[in-house]
Amino acid sequence: DPKIIQKPKYLVAVTGSEKILICEQYLGHNAMYWYRQSAKKPLEFMFSYSYQKLMDNQTASSRFQPQSSKKNHLDLQITALKPDDSATYFCASSQEGWGEDTQYFGPGTRLLVL
Amino acid sequence: QQQVRQSPQSLTVWEGETAILNCSYEDSTFNYFPWYQQFPGEGPALLISIRSVSDKKEDGRFTIFFNKREKKLSLHITDSQPGDSATYFCAASGSNYQLIWGSGTKLIIKP
């Protein structure tokens, strides 16, 4: 059974629209992360949450908003989508959020903005 | 500012050869260095890691060599197999919660 679920697997959106990427982890972890991967940037850290609190935000744009409704959920809302937002978005989790914790990645959501 | 650098960006070796992937860092407080392996269409997964108190860590065909003085480390993959073809990320962390990622090396093993 998959331990980290990301929905949807593929997503096509039009410029200017809003989408929510879903992430659920069933590893019992207390920290969750979002990463973005594209041809321009191999693996780009976006956000980290620990015990549902924001720990680090490396995303310059406020169009990207994480949402944590439950301890094991960390969704990513993206507003005013742009073609440059096209990428694969990975959710990850770790036990406590320390740098030495092993991070476990989900399968990713591939977003294409037209 | 890129705190963790990887080279080469891509590497092609023949099956059976040793692949050497390089990583360097700037922050002397970094003390933990994991390497993650990513296959196409999947998320990265931890492959092997080393702490700065060690100069070598071995796990089967994968070995990390660590040089604290020069702030460099390398991942050696001996007897390379086509199944080792993947992108390898070096990362580093220090005394806080951040894990700093390198830009990755895409490894291709030719049969």
Side-chain angles (χ1 to χ4, degrees):
Chain A
D1 290 338
K3 302 297 185 183
I4 300 181
I5 296 172
Q6 289 191 244
K7 300 176 190 176
K9 188 173 183 178
Y10 300 99
L11 187 55
V12 179
V14 295
T15 298
S17 66
E18 172 183 314
K19 293 294 180 184
I20 295 179
L21 281 54
I22 305 296
C23 178
E24 306 170 12
Q25 58 92 2
Y26 295 94
L27 292 165
H29 289 165
N30 297 307
M32 296 185 71
Y33 312 81
W34 276 104
Y35 289 85
R36 176 170 55 189
Q37 188 171 51
S38 66
K40 294 179 182 178
K41 294 191 176 182
L43 191 64
E44 181 185 4
F45 169 79
M46 300 179 73
F47 301 96
S48 65
Y49 267 65
S50 180
Y51 292 91
Q52 293 188 266
K53 292 184 179 179
L54 180 66
M55 296 298 290
D56 193 8
N57 176 1
Q58 295 293 329
T59 304
S61 173
S62 60
R63 296 186 299 107
F64 296 85
Q65 291 293 327
Q67 300 172 343
S68 181
S69 60
K70 298 180 185 179
K71 177 184 170 184
N72 67 328
H73 282 231
L74 185 65
D75 301 334
L76 181 64
Q77 179 185 39
I78 313 174
T79 57
L81 279 161
K82 303 176 179 181
D84 264 359
D85 297 330
S86 298
T88 298
Y89 291 80
F90 289 103
C91 173
S93 71
S94 70
Q95 189 61 53
E96 295 294 335
W98 294 107
E100 295 185 3
D101 288 350
T102 298
Q103 293 189 18
Y104 296 84
F105 285 75
T109 290
R110 295 181 185 178
L111 173 65
L112 176 63
V113 183
L114 302 174
Chain B
Q1 182 183 5
Q2 195 172 5
Q3 297 191 56
V4 177
R5 289 189 172 86
Q6 289 188 247
S7 65
Q9 192 172 9
S10 63
L11 176 65
T12 300
V13 301
W14 292 102
E15 182 177 357
E17 292 184 337
T18 297
I20 300 175
L21 289 64
N22 301 303
C23 180
S24 63
Y25 62 98
E26 298 175 3
D27 192 333
S28 58
T29 67
F30 287 160
N31 57 17
Y32 173 71
F33 304 88
W35 285 83
Y36 281 74
Q37 180 187 52
Q38 183 182 27
F39 294 109
E42 299 180 9
L46 179 66
L47 176 65
I48 186 172
S49 64
I50 192 168
R51 298 183 187 279
S52 60
V53 294
S54 302
D55 56 13
K56 181 181 176 181
K57 177 78 173 288
E58 202 169 342
D59 184 357
R61 297 184 295 107
F62 300 90
T63 302
I64 300 174
F65 292 93
F66 179 70
N67 186 322
K68 188 173 183 177
R69 183 180 61 83
E70 294 187 6
K71 297 181 186 174
K72 292 181 179 180
L73 58 158
S74 59
L75 174 67
H76 291 225
I77 306 173
T78 58
D79 189 25
S80 297
Q81 303 297 310
D84 297 330
S85 296
T87 298
Y88 292 80
F89 291 96
C90 172
S93 73
S95 59
N96 62 19
Y97 53 87
Q98 283 188 318
L99 185 62
I100 309 300
W101 295 78
S103 57
T105 293
K106 184 176 182 179
L107 176 65
I108 298 172
I109 309 298
K110 287 190 172 181

